[in-house]
Amino acid sequence: MVKQERARRTREKVLDAAAEEFAVQGYSRATLNAVAARTGMTKGALYGHFASKEVLAGALLAQSHEVWEEMLLTRNAPGVTARTALESLVLDLAHRLKADVRLRAAMRLATDCPSLTRELPDVSEDVRRDLVELVRRAQQEGGMPPHPPELVAQLLLTAMHGALHVSFGPKGCTDAAAWEAVWRLLLDVLAGDLRALSGEPEAEGDAHG
């Protein structure tokens, strides 16, 4: 049991190091030597856990696919509107992309190297497809104007990728609060809530999510 636990911890350490490398360098420029250096292991020891760079990338893609499926499942609850589910999911994903290097790396891997996802989970496409479906449902429920769902989903994903390189923190506002305020503004605008632009307070009973 002790040996198994040690092997599990080492595997997790390697996955974190690989995620850091893939997130920064992308698949083509990342090397197993660099991953080994991040862990303090020899390349030979690393091979004992992952036989190749492709296997490492596949493990991150598979794990992130499971994370996304769990995020989606927790929001498909009876009585929850599609707009509320969409807002919650987008806010959670935006936060996780900032905080979870494994998810961030998997999104870059899926985008930078489509050949990897021919036989492996494509978390980037999963996210795009599920956002499109939620936008479409929200429109059918009357919660969003009829913008093309594919364009709305693409705008959200583009904003998420861009936000990874921007620091939010206006004077008098914590980073976390500013981060959420920016996303809520974007979501309100996409939902056609013009009060979000004017700064007018919502009427009682109009609040959502």
Side-chain angles (χ1 to χ4, degrees), residues 21-182:
E21 191 68 16
F22 287 134
V24 174
Q25 301 293 346
Y27 183 78
S28 61
R29 295 178 60 191
T31 67
L32 289 181
N33 282 334
V35 174
R38 284 179 179 271
T39 63
M41 300 167 60
T42 65
K43 191 174 178 180
L46 189 150
Y47 274 129
H49 296 272
F50 296 95
S52 67
K53 185 169 72 169
E54 183 176 0
V55 172
L56 255 177
L60 289 169
L61 286 167
Q63 186 179 77
S64 294
H65 171 78
E66 292 176 4
V67 168
W68 174 251
E69 288 294 308
E70 182 179 350
M71 290 170 62
L72 192 64
L73 182 63
T74 59
R75 288 162 177 83
N76 280 335
V80 177
T81 66
R83 180 178 171 184
T84 296
L86 176 67
E87 290 182 346
S88 175
L89 195 61
V90 167
L91 287 169
D92 191 9
L93 181 59
H95 282 293
R96 290 198 188 211
L97 283 174
K98 275 281 192 180
D100 186 345
V101 69
R102 294 190 187 184
L103 181 59
R104 193 160 67 247
M107 292 289 281
R108 177 163 185 180
L109 285 167
T111 303
D112 286 358
C113 197
S115 62
L116 278 175
T117 59
R118 289 172 186 165
E119 297 182 4
L120 297 168
D122 185 343
V123 65
S124 180
E125 175 57 24
D126 290 343
V127 171
R128 188 203 66 78
R129 181 194 62 239
D130 293 330
L131 289 180
V132 167
E133 177 58 25
L134 275 175
V135 172
R136 185 173 288 116
R137 282 173 47 201
Q139 292 173 344
Q140 292 170 349
E141 293 170 3
M144 295 186 75
H147 304 303
E150 293 79 7
L151 293 183
V152 175
Q154 190 59 50
L155 175 58
L156 290 170
L157 287 172
T158 299
M160 285 182 199
H161 284 293
L164 292 174
H165 308 287
V166 176
S167 295
F168 298 127
K171 187 176 180 180
C173 189
T174 65
D175 284 345
W179 178 253
E180 183 156 335
V182 167

